[in-house]
């Protein structure tokens, strides 16, 4: 006895959906964290996220993060610590985020890809309209502040 046809289609769709791996930065400054708003032309337009990008083949998450922040925001970051990775499934793809708590080591933020940035306190973070994948990162970060 096999799966019903609708279940077979769901399994096949899941297997075909791409799985991307992304490094993201929780950049701290003066008790606040940097949130970046996606541009109108990006997927999930105007949602808030932690900046970062796709990890390339053979690249470590840390190297990816430094490269992406230099490209996207013209800043160099110092990585302070890693948080647990989080996986989130969207209808058309799955993403695993590798979050790192960082500080800006040099440079001034320039918006090369994002629409806006905001410095928010950990308590203010849930009020923004974040991407689904960033929600568990926010919770892990906020928990890590009380440990």
């Amino acid at each position: 006895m096999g799966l019903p046809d609708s279940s077979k289609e769901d399994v096949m769709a899941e297997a075909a959906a791409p799985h991307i791996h992304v490094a993201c930065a929780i950049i701290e400054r003066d008790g606040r964290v940097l949130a970046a708003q996606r541009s109108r032309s990006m997927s999930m337009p105007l949602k808030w996220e932690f900046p970062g990008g796709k990890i390339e083949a053979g690249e470590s998450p840390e190297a990816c993060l430094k490269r992406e922040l230099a490209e996207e925001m013209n800043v160099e970051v110092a990585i302070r610590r890693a948080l647990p990775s989080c996986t989130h499934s969207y209808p058309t793809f799955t993403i695993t985020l590798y979050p790192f708590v960082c500080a800006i080591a040099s440079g001034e933020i320039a918006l090369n890809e994002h629409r806006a940035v905001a410095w928010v306190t950990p308590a203010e973070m849930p009020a923004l309209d974040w991407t689904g994948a960033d929600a568990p990162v926010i919770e892990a970060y906020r928990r890590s502040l009380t440990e």
Side-chain angles (χ1 to χ4, degrees):
M1 184 169 179
L3 293 170
D5 286 339
S6 62
S7 295
K8 286 180 189 173
E9 289 170 10
D10 291 343
V11 169
M12 290 172 58
E14 268 184 37
H19 189 152
I20 60 173
H21 296 266
V22 171
C24 66
I26 301 167
I27 301 172
E28 297 177 320
R29 184 181 77 187
D30 300 327
R32 295 180 179 271
V33 172
L34 183 75
Q37 188 179 38
R38 298 175 66 83
S39 72
R40 291 185 192 282
S41 63
M42 297 169 93
S43 64
M44 295 178 268
L46 306 181
K47 293 277 190 180
W48 291 87
E49 68 179 359
F50 295 113
K54 292 178 188 169
I55 301 169
E56 295 178 356
E59 186 176 45
S60 71
E62 295 88 345
C64 167
L65 190 64
K66 288 178 178 257
R67 175 183 54 77
E68 287 283 350
L69 290 170
E71 291 171 5
E72 289 182 5
M73 297 189 158
N74 294 349
V75 295
E76 181 183 334
V77 294
I79 296 174
R80 293 179 174 163
R81 60 190 168 96
L83 292 176
S85 62
C86 300
T87 300
H88 181 80
S89 292
Y90 290 103
T92 57
F93 68 97
T94 297
I95 185 170
T96 297
L97 291 178
Y98 299 86
F100 294 91
V101 177
C102 306
I104 294 175
S106 66
E108 293 293 324
I109 294 173
L111 299 180
N112 296 328
E113 291 191 18
H114 291 89
R115 179 176 183 266
V117 294
W119 290 98
V120 297
T121 66
E124 295 167 336
M125 293 167 87
L128 296 177
D129 185 17
W130 294 86
T131 68
D134 285 289
V137 175
I138 292 167
E139 292 311 310
Y141 174 69
R142 292 178 72 198
R143 272 194 315 273
S144 77
L145 298 175
T146 61
E147 294 174 351

